[in-house]
Amino acid sequence: NVDTRLRKVLDPAGPYDAILLAYAGLSRLGRLDAVTEVLPVESFLTAPGQGALAIQTRDDPVWINRIRPLDHPDASDAVTAERAFLSGLGGGCTLPVGAYGVVSGERLNLSAEILTPDGQTRIFVDGTFSRSDPHAAGASLAREALARGAAELLERER
């Protein structure tokens, strides 16, 4: 449906003024010609776990060992921290939430935000943590966001 969306946004009489699509997806489809701007992650955090791929298998050592080479530990730790941030906010969030983790050596850098639907209020938190416990990193930033006003934002939306 990417081609359908692109047709709609490129049609002057179409229903869209703009669309946001994943650069990686457009690259895989050979449609980088449609890219007019790349949003910097520093100012536009993605949803927690955005772009992550998962493989599920039976709890069988043979299959687990077969797919183990496909695991990317850095990406896994980053996504674990991002999802822990979202979970720490109280589960499925009704507000826009962004989280982006990057592993560098033994450090995990995590940036996260929660916004009101109109974008007028933004609570941004970030930190550098040991990558040894990415879940704790995400939970820590969630607690900080809640203490800095995210709890009130969430309460207003319920």
Side-chain angles (χ1 to χ4, degrees):
N1 65 17
V2 169
D3 285 327
T4 301
R5 291 178 187 175
L6 290 174
R7 269 195 308 278
K8 288 180 178 181
V9 77
L10 295 173
D11 179 355
Y16 301 151
D17 293 323
I19 57 173
L20 295 176
L21 297 170
Y23 185 91
L26 291 171
S27 177
R28 280 192 298 273
L29 293 172
R31 292 302 316 264
L32 290 180
D33 61 298
V35 175
T36 59
E37 184 176 357
V38 176
L39 301 175
V41 72
E42 297 81 20
S43 60
F44 194 89
L45 295 180
T46 62
Q50 183 72 37
L53 301 175
I55 298 175
Q56 185 173 344
T57 185
R58 293 178 282 184
D59 188 12
D60 176 333
V62 171
W63 282 103
I64 291 170
N65 286 328
R66 284 183 181 172
I67 65 169
R68 188 173 314 281
L70 300 175
D71 182 38
H72 189 273
D74 292 355
S76 181
D77 287 348
V79 169
T80 296
E82 294 169 13
R83 294 187 63 182
F85 174 77
L86 181 61
S87 177
L89 293 178
C93 195
T94 59
L95 293 172
V97 174
Y100 185 67
V102 177
V103 170
S104 179
E106 292 306 309
R107 308 304 297 166
L108 169 64
N109 301 306
L110 182 61
S111 300
E113 65 185 351
I114 183 167
L115 303 97
T116 53
D118 63 6
Q120 295 300 307
T121 302
R122 175 182 186 237
I123 297 169
F124 177 84
V125 291
D126 67 339
T128 300
F129 306 88
S130 167
R131 79 177 286 179
S132 64
D133 193 348
H135 189 273
S140 173
L141 275 192
R143 286 190 300 275
E144 182 180 340
L146 291 167
R148 291 182 47 200
E152 290 79 18
L153 295 182
L154 290 164
E155 189 58 37
R156 269 192 271 159
E157 286 301 309
R158 288 187 181 130

